[in-house]
Amino acid sequence: FFNMPTRHLIGPEGQVLKIQIAFPRRTVVAQVWDVHVGRVRVFLLDTNVTENSIDDRQITAALYGGDNERRIQQEIILGIGGIRAIQALGFRCSACHLNEGHSAFSALERVRALVTEHQFSLNHALEMIRKTTIFTTHTPVPAGIDQFPEYMMQNYFGDFAREMGMAWVDFMSLGRLEAHDRTSPFNMMSLALNMSYRANGVSRLHGKVSRRMVERGWPDVPVDEVPVSSITNGVHTRSWLS
């Protein structure tokens, strides 16, 4: 590990850079790693720090596995924590590309920041973030898309919605393909679609499958005109073949 191009990021006070995220009845801390992949810098978040409980230190221990609650915790770290890490690094986030729905909570964090830190109205903030967010979906089956029951969303986002100045029923509708359906769970793909001005699959066929998956959200539109396009993924041929 110590021979890898990986290091802790150091904050302005000479300490390891860390960000904080409010969880139910506690605060979770994540440190930031800087990984160099060729000329590209990748920033990673890690909750294995002494400030956290033993359970919270495991949030980032494995990408998959665990129950639905672990998934929402991971996606809060990724989405909300990711935006806060970018800001702590001094970058101005003028646009975001959501690579799969797992990161879609980042759009909510950007709205919250505009409302609470820059005094935008809620509607203006929502409009601004939708115009500067792009979504790529990779999962062509409903079973691969994370969904969270309303009680779980209330537990993790009740205070967050109030801070945004958003009524709870409107907040939940952001994660529902059909906004009037108040019985469905909070769906991360729906959140990403509702918070983006453009969405695409990763092949022509995948775009077609994705449009059929979400066509209920556009009941008066022919399925071929549902606003999910496609951009065929490229590969590095030698790596792919090997």
Side-chain angles (χ1 to χ4, degrees):
F1 178 83
F2 296 101
N3 291 326
M4 295 172 68
T6 303
R7 63 183 177 90
H8 279 119
L9 277 172
I10 305 301
E13 299 179 1
Q15 304 294 323
V16 173
L17 185 65
K18 296 178 180 178
I19 52 99
Q20 297 184 347
I21 304 149
F23 271 48
R25 297 169 295 283
R26 67 195 188 279
T27 298
V28 173
V29 177
Q31 59 188 347
V32 186
W33 292 86
D34 185 10
V35 182
H36 288 247
V37 184
R39 290 173 292 179
V40 177
R41 297 174 72 190
V42 179
F43 303 112
L44 304 179
L45 294 172
D46 173 18
T47 62
N48 187 20
V49 295
T50 57
E51 295 93 329
N52 292 333
S53 68
I54 296 297
D55 186 57
D56 287 339
R57 290 176 71 163
Q58 299 300 311
I59 292 174
T60 56
L63 182 59
Y64 295 112
D67 56 16
N68 218 21
E69 185 139 18
R70 182 62 86 203
R71 291 299 294 163
I72 196 172
Q73 292 172 350
Q74 290 181 327
E75 294 181 3
I76 288 170
I77 295 291
L78 174 63
I80 297 175
I83 292 296
R84 293 181 185 179
I86 288 170
Q87 292 171 340
L89 290 165
F91 294 112
R92 180 176 175 270
C93 185
S94 57
C96 269
H97 174 209
L98 307 179
N99 194 37
E100 190 59 288
H102 307 310
S103 59
F105 287 144
S106 61
L108 300 181
E109 170 62 9
R110 293 173 68 209
V111 171
R112 185 205 62 79
L114 288 180
V115 171
T116 61
E117 300 170 18
H118 301 283
Q119 288 71 56
F120 277 54
S121 70
L122 177 61
N123 287 338
H124 189 188
L126 287 167
E127 181 182 5
M128 177 72 72
I129 298 310
R130 284 173 175 142
K131 285 183 176 180
T132 57
T133 303
I134 301 170
F135 170 46
T136 296
T137 177
H138 293 266
T139 308
V141 291
I145 297 168
D146 289 313
Q147 300 186 75
F148 304 114
E150 185 165 359
Y151 77 85
M152 188 176 290
M153 290 298 298
Q154 179 72 57
N155 193 30
Y156 281 91
F157 283 94
D159 291 339
F160 193 98
R162 283 188 286 273
E163 194 173 352
M164 289 172 63
M166 196 169 200
W168 181 249
V169 65
D170 296 331
F171 184 89
M172 283 296 296
S173 72
L174 293 176
R176 287 170 169 157
L177 197 57
E178 298 171 273
H180 64 274
D181 179 8
R182 299 189 180 183
T183 62
S184 60
F186 194 93
N187 182 301
M188 295 300 286
M189 183 177 181
S190 296
L191 174 63
L193 287 168
N194 286 329
M195 295 303 300
S196 303
Y197 87 93
R198 181 163 183 166
N200 66 276
V202 292
S203 71
R204 188 178 299 173
L205 177 58
H206 183 212
K208 180 178 180 180
V209 171
S210 297
R211 285 190 290 275
R212 293 198 177 279
M213 283 176 59
V214 301
E215 62 179 317
R216 290 183 296 109
W218 289 268
D220 300 321
V221 174
V223 65
D224 290 341
E225 297 179 19
V226 170
V228 180
S229 62
S230 62
I231 301 172
T232 300
N233 268 357
V235 297
H236 181 257
T237 307
R238 290 182 179 181
S239 300
W240 186 259
L241 290 176
S242 70

